[in-house]
Amino acid sequence: MSTPESAEENFIEQMGLITQVDGGPRIAGRILGLLLVEGTAFNLSEMAKRLKISKASASTNARMLEASGIIRRTARPGDRQDYYELGSDPFSRMISSISTRMRDTAGLVLEAEAQFLPGQEAARARVHELADFYMRSAQFMAGWSAHIKHQPSDAPTEITGPK
């Protein structure tokens, strides 16, 4: 049987792995996992100690998460240190971030499409189809982000794990 501490630590590590699979830094995912599990603000020294990482790594990854709005910087009266906590609507911001990356990718694919020469129409069409896929996906994700931002999360949801 697992202890509460090991369940928390396991979740924090899983968040790191999930973030890494999604192309982000593993430590950023671990920081997010820590803030989700604990539900309180941490300064960089506390984060570094808890996650067994350097303070510089905690700072770099916290600033990246802050830039996306997933976490926010806060302060405590009489304390000169910065603290980090979950931002408002962190999950809709995660989806919004995915939407932005997909939109940027669509733009890159369109730039590549423009470089095809006459006689390469079939290849150009397939590449354009890929750009369209990314753009439509970006639009869907932006809509989904807005949807979940305005939906109460108290509705029961059945979620099952991997099979």
Side-chain angles (χ1 to χ4, degrees), residues 11 15 40 49-50 56 98 104 110-111 128 133-134 138 140 144:
F11 175 75
M15 286 300 298
T40 189
K49 183 177 180 182
R50 176 73 185 272
I98 293 168
D104 292 347
L110 286 172
E111 287 176 16
H128 185 82
F133 160 78
Y134 276 113
F140 174 82
W144 182 247

Side-chain angles (χ1 to χ4, degrees), residues 24 27 32 66 76 83-84 99 101 105:
I27 291 173
L32 178 58
E66 179 187 22
R76 293 184 180 164
Y83 288 79
Y84 293 89
S99 173
R101 285 195 311 270
T105 301

Side-chain angles (χ1 to χ4, degrees), residues 3-4 26 65 85 132 145 151 162:
T3 65
R26 187 173 184 167
L65 289 168
E85 63 187 8
D132 184 59
S145 174
Q151 290 295 315

